Amino acid sequence: MDITFKDLIKLWGKPCSQKEIDLDLPIGHISTDTRTIEKGDFFVPLVGNNFDGHDYLKIAFDIGIQAAIVSEQFNGLVPTDFTYWVVPDTLCAYQQIALLHRRNMNLPVVAVTGSVGKTTTRELIRAVLSPLGEIVSSRGNENNDVGVPRTLLRGSKTDAAFVLEMGMRGFGQIERLSRVAEPDIAVITNVGQAHIGILGSRENIAIAKSEITSNLRSDGVVIIPFGDNLLEKALSEKWSGRIVRVAIEGFSLDWLGCNDDHFASQNIEPDYISKIDMQNNFIFFDGSKYKLPLEGRHNAMNFLMALTVATELGLSIKNLDKLNIDMPMGRNRLVECGEYLVLDETYNASPESVIASLELLVTKPGRHFAVLGTMLELGPESISLHQKVLQHAVDLGLSGIVFVSFGEEYNFIKKIIKDLPNHDVVRTPRDAAVALLSWLSPGDNILIKGSRKLELETILPYLQK
């Protein structure tokens, strides 16, 4: 960490301290967690709904930190010879440090958001850019107000680029993350129905996603899927710079029949049109052919965006047949589970992601079963969106569906799936496993997907037995 005490004085003025300090001295590793803090670190006590990092200040002092910040709401004691700053908001201060570090590093920053596919696209971009050198990317759920600055602070001048995932649960959140990161490239994977219960409409979701351009470098670029009229409209009101649009022949964004076209984009054409060979798992991009690292049309679009990012950064794209893709648990995982092939998508679910996973499931030889669960945060649209998704599953000709119900959709889902050879609606993952196992034969294919709260990953051990 090359940030010095002099840098922090420029941010917040002189520290509270009765001892002289060397202003050119580095502030040390920045830590928010006393469980991993070390002597000489700089401590930032964050405050959340159920915790207050200030409660651990004494532990940090005893370990031997060299400096810290504290909130102006903190009423505790600080040693008189200790160097610290008093700030209105420690989280905001943490983000300011991260932005300062980002500017000092002067590395390319790629920011990724979208309703579906953020994590997959982030990981594909990281893998495609890896020939440049070490790529610092978000880990796990580092896509929020704490995670994005934490990722930035991991970077060093020996690294090649940052790839940051940016999540959203309301207006203003992605704008804050954009302010922290100052991206060079922004990727918006899509605008779907996830969080529509919070934001009220896809139009509002598009507006919230377009906040990623708030602090995009003026010479930067936004990469989006071609044909999303709501996203085009939102961006036209917020961003005047370059937009690169990508498309795949035969790939529709209108999976649920809800892509509003009241903002028909006149005279706009895709910058890249790719073809995919799903039988042999290839994509054709900018005159070259590449092996798709992940299965499914939706993942081909995610990969196309990663290839476009590499092109924008001037990377010569070669030798991508053995990409190191490190997907988190419960996302894009094909697992040999006992005698069955399981598409493990247990991390979360939205209408678009469920449909994409169902369409991948039915490409597998053999019978097809799905364990699906309630999709949360869909608000007043919940019933109609569940109906559309379940009807699509039925139309695909699945051999069976067991649905884990968390709410009011219990009865109407029974009616939709009743004509399948095997069907059930249950309340718990264990009940789902019991029903499913009574139908299965060796060689069957199973999709497991539902909202995080349902914990559908607990079904996997039953299948392994």
Side-chain angles (χ1 to χ4, degrees):
M1 180 66 62
D2 60 357
I3 296 175
T4 66
F5 285 96
K6 184 187 297 183
D7 294 322
L8 298 191
I9 288 173
K10 292 177 183 178
L11 285 178
W12 309 313
K14 291 184 178 180
C16 301
S17 176
Q18 295 185 10
K19 70 173 183 178
E20 291 188 8
I21 56 174
D22 181 352
L23 298 183
D24 293 320
L25 189 69
I27 65 172
H29 173 73
I30 297 169
S31 176
T32 61
D33 189 344
T34 54
R35 292 170 297 183
T36 56
I37 205 166
E38 296 181 358
K39 183 177 181 179
D41 284 357
F42 185 98
F43 183 50
V44 180
L46 299 177
V47 180
N49 293 330
N50 301 309
F51 68 91
D52 186 342
H54 295 86
D55 295 340
Y56 304 95
L57 269 171
K58 186 179 184 307
I59 295 175
F61 295 149
D62 292 343
I63 290 172
I65 59 173
Q66 67 169 330
I69 55 176
V70 299
S71 169
E72 60 187 18
Q73 304 298 319
F74 175 63
N75 296 319
L77 297 176
V78 178
T80 56
D81 61 344
F82 183 73
T83 301
Y84 68 100
W85 281 263
V86 178
V87 297
D89 185 325
T90 56
L91 176 58
C92 179
Y94 185 52
Q95 294 172 346
Q96 287 177 301
I97 298 172
L99 174 57
L100 179 59
H101 184 61
R102 180 261 184 271
R103 289 174 175 173
N104 287 348
M105 293 301 96
N106 195 30
L107 300 175
V109 175
V110 182
V112 183
T113 192
S115 295
V116 182
K118 292 186 295 295
T119 301
T120 301
T121 304
R122 176 202 83 200
E123 178 58 20
L124 289 169
I125 294 171
R126 183 205 60 76
V128 170
L129 296 186
S130 59
L132 292 174
E134 187 67 28
I135 307 299
V136 182
S137 67
S138 307
R139 297 171 180 168
N141 292 320
E142 289 183 341
N143 63 4
N144 55 23
D145 284 319
V146 176
V148 168
R150 179 177 293 152
T151 304
L152 287 168
L153 289 168
R154 286 205 310 271
S156 71
K157 289 184 178 179
T158 61
D159 297 318
F162 291 100
V163 181
L164 306 174
E165 180 178 334
M166 295 186 176
M168 177 277 298
R169 291 178 59 82
F171 290 120
Q173 295 183 349
I174 292 180
E175 182 175 0
R176 286 198 303 275
L177 301 181
S178 178
R179 185 166 60 243
V180 174
E182 293 185 347
D184 299 280
I185 297 176
V187 178
I188 305 176
T189 60
N190 46 59
V191 174
Q193 308 286 336
H195 307 313
I196 198 169
I198 297 172
L199 285 163
S201 67
R202 284 188 67 245
E203 184 173 20
N204 284 342
I205 294 171
I207 292 169
K209 297 297 182 185
S210 69
E211 290 175 1
I212 200 170
T213 64
S214 298
N215 285 75
L216 184 63
R217 297 292 181 94
S218 59
D219 59 348
V221 62
V222 186
I223 299 171
I224 64 171
F226 173 73
D228 191 319
N229 297 318
L230 286 180
L231 184 53
E232 292 281 0
K233 181 175 186 295
L235 285 172
S236 71
E237 296 172 354
K238 199 165 187 67
W239 173 247
S240 58
R242 287 181 61 222
I243 300 176
V244 171
R245 301 165 178 88
V246 300
I248 293 175
E249 286 188 6
F251 184 90
S252 172
L253 297 175
D254 195 16
W255 294 343
L256 293 164
C258 56
N259 191 15
D260 304 280
D261 58 2
H262 64 272
F263 182 78
S265 305
Q266 301 296 325
N267 302 318
I268 293 179
E269 297 293 334
D271 297 274
Y272 295 101
I273 303 177
S274 293
K275 295 181 180 180
I276 49 177
D277 177 353
M278 295 307 299
Q279 184 173 357
N280 297 301
N281 225 33
F282 284 108
I283 185 169
F284 299 86
F285 172 76
D286 202 23
S288 298
K289 181 174 76 170
Y290 302 95
K291 188 75 174 177
L292 287 170
L294 297 171
E295 295 185 58
R297 289 178 179 272
H298 57 300
N299 285 322
M301 176 60 83
N302 296 334
F303 188 51
L304 173 57
M305 290 189 166
L307 294 173
T308 306
V309 168
T311 300
E312 286 294 321
L313 289 176
L315 179 63
S316 178
I317 310 172
K318 298 177 181 178
N319 302 322
L320 298 184
D321 289 348
K322 294 183 180 180
L323 288 177
N324 178 23
I325 309 296
D326 184 19
M327 291 305 302
M329 295 292 290
R331 306 187 201 193
N332 271 304
R333 294 180 68 239
L334 281 172
V335 184
E336 294 286 347
C337 201
E339 300 176 306
Y340 320 112
L341 180 65
V342 177
L343 178 53
D344 176 10
E345 287 279 358
T346 54
Y347 181 77
N348 217 337
S350 66
E352 293 84 1
S353 66
V354 175
I355 286 178
S357 297
L358 286 166
E359 293 184 348
L360 174 57
L361 172 70
V362 298
T363 65
K364 303 298 177 184
R367 298 195 305 167
H368 309 105
F369 296 85
V371 180
L372 303 178
T374 302
M375 298 174 290
L376 302 175
E377 297 183 350
L378 297 180
E381 304 292 324
S382 180
I383 290 179
S384 64
L385 290 172
H386 277 90
Q387 287 174 329
K388 287 181 179 180
V389 169
L390 268 295
Q391 188 58 57
H392 190 78
V394 171
D395 293 343
L396 287 172
L398 269 63
S399 298
I401 292 176
V402 57
F403 190 91
V404 183
S405 175
F406 198 76
E408 60 185 353
E409 67 281 344
Y410 188 93
N411 290 323
F412 76 78
I413 284 177
K414 269 193 168 182
K415 294 179 182 178
I416 295 174
I417 64 176
K418 63 180 176 60
D419 293 330
L420 290 177
N422 304 281
H423 56 87
D424 203 354
V425 181
V426 300
R427 292 295 190 188
T428 69
R430 182 185 181 280
D431 292 340
V434 170
L436 183 66
L437 286 167
S438 69
W439 308 335
L440 294 177
S441 299
D444 286 343
N445 305 281
I446 309 156
L447 165 66
I448 308 178
K449 190 167 183 64
S451 288
R452 177 88 297 272
K453 193 171 184 178
L454 296 175
E455 298 182 342
L456 294 188
E457 69 275 8
T458 58
I459 294 173
L460 294 172
Y462 292 97
L463 299 177
Q464 290 167 340
K465 293 176 184 178

